[in-house]
Structures are given as structure tokens and as C-alpha cells.
Amino acid sequence: MDARYEPETVEHAAQAFWEASDAFRVTEDPTREKFYCLSMFPYPSGRLHMGHVRNYTIGDVISRYQRMRGKNVLQPMGWDAFGLPAENAAMQNNVPPAEWTYENIEYMKAQLKRLGFAYDWSREFATCDPSYYRWEQWLLTRLHAKGLLYRRMAEVNWDPVDQTVLANEQVIDGRGWRSGAPVQRREIPHWFLKITDYAEELLEAIDTLDWPDAVKTMQRNWIGRSEGVEMDFPVDGGDPLRIYTTRPDTLFGVTFMAVAAGHPLAIDAAKGDAKLAAFLEECRQGGTSEAALETAEKQGMATGRYAINPMNGERIPVWVANYVLMGYGTGAIMAVPGHDERDHEFARRYGLEIRQVIAPADGTALDIQAAAWTSKEDMVTVNSGQFTGLSFQAAFDRIAEHIEQLGLGERRVNYRLRDWGVSRQRYWGCPVPVLHTEAGEVPVPDALLPVVLPGNAEGEDPTAPLAKRPGFVETTDPATGRPARRETDTLDTFVESSWYFARFACADNDAAMLDERADYWLPVDQYVGGIEHAILHLLYARFFHKLMRDEGLVSSGEPFTNLLTQGMVVAETFYREQGGRTTWYAPAEVVVARDDKGKVTGARLQADGQPVEVGPIEKMSKSKNNGVDPQAMIERYGADTVRLYMMETSPPDQMLEWSDSAVEGAARFLRRLWRIVHEHVSTGGLPAPGTAVDVATLDDAGRALHRQTHETIAKVSDDVGRRYKFNTAVAACRELINAVSERAGEPTHRAVVHEALEAVVLMLAPVVPHACHALWHALGHGSPVIDARWPEADPSAMARDEVELVVQVNGKLRGRVTVAAGADRDTVTAAAMQVENVARHVGGKSPRKVIVVPGKLVNVVV
RNA sequence: GCCGGGAUGGCGGAACUGGUAGACGCGCCAGACUCAAAAUCUGGUACCCGCAAGGGUGUGCGAGUUCGAUUCUCGCUCCCGGCACCA
């Protein structure tokens, strides 16, 4: 063993060993307990960023820990490879998206290997490989047959200059990002996946998941289940107006109706009304973006039509209102300004009647003209004819029943969740496997799958959408031999990432999408990734899992049993304002000044020595110039230091603040650990592996270290295995090393020092696997540490003869006392009263009460 | 606006079930080694008073429950994240 810790040498040796022994390749073994640990696979953008490093280190620590627990651990890695950035890069550099993507994959794969992650690379794939998306296409043809994949008209952002569809993020301030032309809304046919069929199941199953509450709540809100009534309001001289309401208890308070600008009634009414037609057109112009809707004021116009409130026969005006959404419910509402804030705002603006029909049950008076009162709790109906005097639930039930009896409508559950629009009119994606033949729309037969994305011919625009590639579009109907056209839409890249976790189980199968191995590995036991995927990716993946289950491909109902969402990696920012412009400086270019207590007093730019402003701590980003390149850190300190820093600095679900000097501290610890082990192994013989410490021969100091070793094992096992608190686990290891360094070199304590060092090396092996690989060998072990078992805490080692208790007087700490471990209450109390400082504070008075918490404290109340 | 999470030394954080607040680390201060520096090692480091022993204060703010509250309850303030006209 080298006296000096050389991370590069150590890490290359360990990685070479793992590679040569195929250490992380796994096969299915029904006799062993499996553990499938998955980190969200990356988009191959070019280089890893710190967020990736954090994500993958967390996953790797869990995987390596579970392996040491004896589980059959699968930890795969792949590439979420389709998507817009490849097209952008292609346009900038004139390199085909595929080439750019595969080059990035090669580079990033080398980076991942350099970090020493325990991946089974034999299962690697990129989603842009035809061998992957072939099965996606195959599944889609099955879904098409079931009606779960269907086509209908939908609005898109259309760039009239570039003649192309734009993604939402390509629309900047209502203009195309490249052309600068105002974006138009255009209706074109779109493919949809019918996720709404699964809304109820997706909602109910959330309760079964061991996920962070924040994520579960977000998914529940996204699905947005509501119970209400769908019913008709008769219209003078027209078809009845069907509306949806969750508040049938307020039906007597309806003073107008409102329909969306796209509603048939509005369009019909506009036929003879130029002003109304102009208003509808204006509503259509407004952007589809959320930002536009957010700021939009409530606007509307009367249609001249009137509806009849079936509850009381009143004749009420029908308005068009821009706050009514065509895509939810029926695109029409009954407006109750007294008890709905939006309706209230609208009514005030247009001078419509505001009427109170519910009131606080305790009789409190309300000024309903000033503000809407919307409570469902502690309310009672008023001014509601035969339904007056009821609670929300009673009014809901009786009025709903009444409407059902009148044949005007029925109770109905609605969801906010919409069907998933999966069409993209772009090149770099998975082609939708459909042909348009003379007989209509038909799925591509299995034998003709995959529909391969065409490559790029010389001189061709490498990003031209499929519709502009005649060689791709024109084909023949395999059934008739007659001319046919291929579908030219490609799929949203979220589709590929919705089932990749399953394909890892059997990535080499070229005869089926999934096989029986999927049921061995699934569901994923631990999924690790960013909170930014809390809704879409995680919901779509759950949906696809159910689709695959209903296709008989898997038997489980949910894909991810346990979810860990890691926090962002953030860093300090530094800037200067010059002439109204802000220039951001990288933390590495800045020297921070401190006072003699360590408090930051200012910062100067290294280059010119002049002050810069200290900005807020923010997520690492190019715009704030505060990113730290993992590659540079790995080259400087080695992978283990970076891994250790990431794990010991914050709990995984919290933000992690980057600090160069704290990274230095992690490096220091590894050097120290190395040196302590080196001194230990070079100053005497080593016990045979597995030799137990002879407790009988230990003195007090030796017993204390022996005890601390086992207490640390117990704590770290709990922190890593149950709590996922890697920061406190590392801290406990550091404490044990601090204790070891006090005993190191003492011949009488050699056995307990050896035991402690072995425990630390085993417990840190998941975090700093390379260093521990070398140290484990140095401690006399022939087999590698990845095959060692996680240490077990020995309860007898942790037993204490004596315990130190804290003594309080009136709840204030006044002293300490050491008593026998099993001492009874009276003994403990007596001992506590003898402590000088305690006696002084009790002051001879007789205690009113003495509280004894065994093993912890004594509180004397006087 | 609604939903979720949070606020602890100069900084990151610890205290898991109501029981020693500040583990571990960073930074800072002092010392050892060194011609010097780096590296390493030792000690100190919440704040105030005190040579010390010790005392007082202290977990965003204000109340409450309790022998005892960072932890529980109520009412605020601020910060972060998500959703946002879903009838």
C-alpha cells in the first residue's frame, strides 16, 4: 500500500478491476431477493452537470449498500436521446442529430465510468436506437386497436415564416424564436393517448406509493377529480345549454350563463352579430400560453340569447366569457356571482345581479355585493325555495336527485387531466407507426416494424420534418399494394421515457418488447431523480406501466415503489452592474474577504482586484455563470472526493450548496483515512479476516472504542437503510475515525482499532468505493469490498455498565451524574441530589417533584 | 389566490418518539513543525458577563400546553417550490 493517497491511481485500479470482472453485470435469480435501483436517465446534452453527479451518486450509494446487504441488485443506465436540443445543435453546426447525439453519449458515458457508478452497462440503450423505439411503435399499434391512441384536431403554435410547428418553449413573447414572426394558432390533426381512461386508477393508486407527499399532492391536483352535476338549461328558441357544476347547492343563485368563445352557441349567435363575431375572434388571438391567460382580464359580451333556470323558471342571459374554458366540462357554466369569485368579478364588471343563496350556518351576516362567499363548510342554503335550510351535502344530494328526476341531467365526476397530446411535427423523434391508405388510417403491421427514422442525405436539411421528406412519406399499402402515405408526426419524447425502466429488464430481447425478466425486476424498488419530473414524467410512466399491464406484459400495477427526489445543486453568485448591464463572474474568479470571525465582508475579482457584488445563492446555470464543471473537479480531486462531498454536505432531498473549500475538506478526510489505515497496517501484523475482538482483554478505552464502533454501525445502517440521511451517516463515520486516531498506534488497542477501521471502510464503501476497494485489501482481505457483507452491530458490545445522566433543576441543566445502568429511581435521585451544583440550586428546599427519564436525565422541580 | 415545504452559530447542517440545542464539516483565531510556504498536527470557536468556577440569553415573531418545547397547539412574518380562471 502506498503511503500517500493518490486518487487517480486508486480509482483507475478499482475501475479496471470492476470492468475486468464484470462486477456489476446481473442476472435474474429467483432464489435471491432482488433490488432494482434506478436513477432518471439523462438527456445526452454533451457533458454531465453537477445535478447529474448528485442524482447518480445517490442512486449508486443505495445500489452498493443493497448489494452489501446481499440483494441481487440491478442498476442500469441509458440515454433519453430524442428531442429538440439535438435539432438545435444540428442547425448550428450542420451535423445530423444522430451523429451529435451518439457523440455526446460516448463522452458522457466515459464521464459516468470515471465516477465509478456500479452500472450494468450490458443493458444500456439509447431511446433513439431503432431496436428500442421499435417496441414503442409495436405497443402503439396495440393501443391504436384499443382506441387508446387516436387522432383529432388540436391547436398548435404555428410559425408562419418558418412554416413549422413550435414547441411552447420556442414561443418567446408570442413570437417564433428563430423567425421573430407573431405565432399563430392553427388547428391540425394530432395524436392523443387516452390517459383520461386511467384517471381514476392513477388517482387511487397514489395512496399505495411510498413517495414524498409533495409529489403525491401534485399528482392528485394535476388529475383534479371533482364531483358535480352535468345538466341542461333550456334556451329560448334553441338547443338546451349543457353545463357542469360542482355547486348544485347554489342553483337558485344563477343570474347569468357563460360559454367559452369556441362554444357552438357562441359561434351560432355571432352569425348575425358582427360585434360578437369580432369579440370571438379577439379571444382566439390571445396566446394559449399560461402567462397570457394569467394576466388576462375578465371580458365578455352578451349573446342576446336567454336560458331558463329549471329550478325557478327565471329567464337569464347567456354571455360569452373569456374565462370559460372550452376544454373542461362542457365549455359552458352557470354563473353564481354570489358564491364564485370569478363570476363575482365578471358580474361587477358588467353590472349583473349578485344574489345570495347560501349563508354561514352560525347566522353571521355577509355583504355578498362586496365579495363572493364560497364556503362549503358550515353553510346553509337560503332563498332556495323548497331546498332552503340545507347543508352543502344535503343540498347537493337533493338538488341533484331533483334534476335527475326532471331528466335534465345527472351526477358526474370530472377530471382536470386531459388526454396526452403526443404528436410533434419534428424530425428527431420516434415516428408514429401509422399508414394513411385508401382504406383509411391503419397501423403498420408488426412485420414492417420498426418504422425507421430516415437518415440524412448529402445536402439535405438534417432537421427537415418527416413531412418534407418525400422518400419517407410515399409508400404502399401492404394489404393492397396501392399507394399510401406514412404518418409524418413523431412522438413526444416523454413517450420514450415512460417505459424505459421496464426495457432495462430485457434490453437484449429482439423478439418482444418485454419478457418474463420484467416481472422479476419490476417494480423499481428505488427511483431517484429531480423533483422537476414530479408531475409529467412520473404520471406518464405510471400510465404506461398500466398500459403494459393491460397488454399482459407486466403484472405489477405501479412502476416505482419508492421515490427519492433530490434537491438542486446551487452556488454563490457574483456580479457587477455597469451601465445598466449586469455581468456575472464565476465563483472561481472571485476572492472572498472575511472578518476575523469568518463572516463574509466582501469580494473582489481576481483579475483586477476590484470589488464585485455578492449575489444570491442560485441554481447553477450558464446565465448566472455560477456552474461548476464536474469534470474539472474529478480531475482535480478524484471521483471519490466529489462523491463524498455530495453525500456529506446535505440530505439528498435538500438543496446542496457548492463550496470549494468544503470539497477540500472531503479530500482532506480521505487523505487522513488513508494515512491512518496505512500507519495501522505498516506497524504490525493483521488479524485473519473475521477474527472477533477478544472483549475480555480490553481496558476501558478499548471497550469504549469497541462500543463506539458498534453504535456507529447501528446508526449508519439506520441512516442509510431507512432514513436516506447519508450526511449524518458520513458524520458518524468521521466521528469514529476521530476516535480511532486517538487510539491508533497503541499496541494494546490494535484489535479494536482494526475492527473500527474495517467497519468504517465497509460503511463508506458505497460512498467512496474506489478508496475503500484499496483500503479493504490493505486491511488484509483477498476478496473485494463490493462482495463483502454490510457490518452487523453487536448488541453486547453496545451494552453499558454505567450511564451518564443529565441533571436539571426546574428544567435547567445544572450538572451530570454517572450511575449504574440499571439503577432504580431512588438511587438515581439520591445520586443527582449529591451533585454540588445541583444541591446549590435546590438550596435545601424539598423537591416538589422529581422526573427521572431512564438513561437520559433527572429533573428536580422545587 | 390555492396546495406543499421551510426559517437553528459567520456558513452547510445535526438533534429521528417532547428530554444535554449547535453532532460532523467549512470558515475563522491561536499554537506546533518549517529558513519559509504548502501539507499535516494540537487547542479554541452561539452570544453576553467572568481569570476561573459559574451565571444569564438563545432555534423567524407573538401567545399557549408541559416539570421540560427546535420538536406539540393557535395566531402572524418572511423565504422556497408547484399549480393557477378546471366552474
Side-chain angles (χ1 to χ4, degrees), chain A residues 149-420:
Chain A
L149 172 70
Y150 66 94
R151 203 158 82 125
R152 67 168 161 84
M153 298 299 277
E155 270 183 356
V156 294
N157 303 303
W158 179 256
D159 186 321
V161 172
D162 281 358
Q163 293 282 301
T164 183
V165 174
L166 298 175
N168 278 334
E169 57 269 31
Q170 292 174 321
V171 181
I172 296 156
D173 293 333
R175 289 168 181 275
W177 66 312
R178 290 183 70 84
S179 68
V183 170
Q184 299 175 347
R185 288 205 231 167
R186 185 175 269 212
E187 289 242 318
I188 60 170
H190 255 254
W191 291 97
F192 285 86
L193 282 170
K194 211 167 179 188
I195 191 171
T196 51
D197 269 13
Y198 287 80
E200 190 60 40
E201 198 192 344
L202 287 166
L203 180 68
E204 275 176 8
I206 290 172
D207 295 334
T208 67
L209 300 172
D210 195 358
W211 287 16
D213 286 336
V215 177
K216 294 206 275 190
T217 306
M218 280 191 251
Q219 293 221 343
R220 280 192 198 100
N221 293 344
W222 190 259
I223 294 168
R225 182 183 200 274
S226 68
E227 288 178 21
V229 169
E230 196 172 291
M231 63 178 287
D232 287 331
F233 277 61
V235 172
D236 275 1
D239 294 335
L241 183 57
R242 179 150 272 247
I243 59 100
Y244 175 73
T245 181
T246 57
R247 297 301 299 268
D249 56 310
T250 63
L251 255 167
F252 284 83
V254 176
T255 56
F256 65 99
M257 310 295 287
V259 300
H263 193 276
L265 186 149
I267 293 164
D268 189 50
K271 278 176 188 159
D273 184 340
K275 269 181 78 179
L276 186 58
F279 177 68
L280 297 190
E281 186 53 34
E282 196 184 315
C283 289
R284 243 192 300 281
Q285 290 300 322
T288 39
S289 75
E290 281 150 19
L293 289 172
E294 187 181 335
T295 50
E297 273 187 64
K298 290 202 172 34
Q299 287 184 357
M301 191 174 277
T303 59
R305 309 281 171 97
Y306 286 83
I308 306 297
N309 185 340
M311 301 305 287
N312 55 16
E314 281 185 42
R315 196 160 170 270
I316 47 182
V318 180
W319 285 64
V320 180
N322 66 345
Y323 71 94
V324 179
L325 305 173
M326 195 57 222
Y328 181 78
T330 61
I333 61 162
M334 63 178 217
V336 186
H339 308 293
D340 181 282
E341 279 161 19
R342 298 150 301 183
D343 298 345
H344 193 273
E345 190 187 332
F346 191 87
R348 296 268 303 223
R349 190 178 169 110
Y350 292 101
L352 298 160
E353 190 195 346
I354 300 169
R355 187 185 298 173
Q356 180 172 5
V357 292
I358 59 173
D362 64 6
T364 312
L366 295 174
D367 180 2
I368 211 73
Q369 302 302 320
W373 191 71
T374 61
S375 181
K376 287 186 191 175
E377 264 105 61
D378 305 317
M379 58 140 269
V380 62
T381 50
V382 295
N383 307 324
S384 296
Q386 57 172 309
F387 300 101
T388 296
L390 301 176
S391 70
F392 169 76
Q393 198 55 54
F396 184 109
D397 291 340
R398 287 183 50 187
I399 292 174
E401 203 174 308
H402 180 70
I403 288 162
E404 282 166 350
Q405 278 166 4
L406 292 176
L408 287 171
E410 57 285 321
R411 279 172 245 225
R412 201 189 141 107
V413 171
N414 248 332
Y415 300 90
R416 299 177 47 173
L417 185 70
R418 313 291 160 75
D419 277 342
W420 175 14

Side-chain angles (χ1 to χ4, degrees), chain A residues 360-514:
Chain A
D362 64 6
T364 312
L366 295 174
D367 180 2
I368 211 73
Q369 302 302 320
W373 191 71
T374 61
S375 181
K376 287 186 191 175
E377 264 105 61
D378 305 317
M379 58 140 269
V380 62
T381 50
V382 295
N383 307 324
S384 296
Q386 57 172 309
F387 300 101
T388 296
L390 301 176
S391 70
F392 169 76
Q393 198 55 54
F396 184 109
D397 291 340
R398 287 183 50 187
I399 292 174
E401 203 174 308
H402 180 70
I403 288 162
E404 282 166 350
Q405 278 166 4
L406 292 176
L408 287 171
E410 57 285 321
R411 279 172 245 225
R412 201 189 141 107
V413 171
N414 248 332
Y415 300 90
R416 299 177 47 173
L417 185 70
R418 313 291 160 75
D419 277 342
W420 175 14
V422 293
S423 279
R424 299 291 180 270
Q425 292 73 32
R426 310 220 58 97
Y427 167 70
W428 190 234
C430 172
V432 175
V434 168
L435 296 174
H436 300 283
T437 69
E438 287 168 351
E441 177 186 297
V442 296
V444 175
D446 292 357
L448 297 179
L449 293 177
V451 177
V452 177
L453 191 65
N456 297 106
E458 199 67 35
E460 192 179 33
D461 171 6
T463 66
L466 298 181
K468 294 184 180 172
R469 297 172 189 248
F472 175 82
V473 177
E474 286 156 24
T475 185
T476 52
D477 180 350
T480 62
R482 302 278 300 157
R485 292 173 61 82
R486 285 190 196 280
E487 171 59 52
T488 57
D489 282 355
T490 52
L491 292 166
D492 180 2
T493 59
F494 272 113
V495 178
E496 282 84 61
S497 57
S498 294
W499 68 282
Y500 78 109
F501 55 89
R503 182 67 183 173
F504 278 133
C506 50
D508 58 357
N509 191 333
D510 58 9
M513 183 179 190
L514 299 178

Side-chain angles (χ1 to χ4, degrees), chain A residues 804-817 831-843 845 856-862:
Chain A
E804 189 184 56
L805 302 183
V806 164
V807 186
Q808 297 178 334
V809 179
N810 292 334
K812 281 193 186 294
L813 178 64
R814 298 300 178 186
R816 286 157 210 278
V817 65
M833 298 302 270
Q834 304 247 305
V835 176
E836 195 189 316
N837 203 37
V838 173
R840 197 151 55 94
H841 279 90
V842 172
K845 285 168 267 184
K856 292 243 161 129
L857 64 69
V858 184
N859 187 14
V860 184
V861 184
V862 293

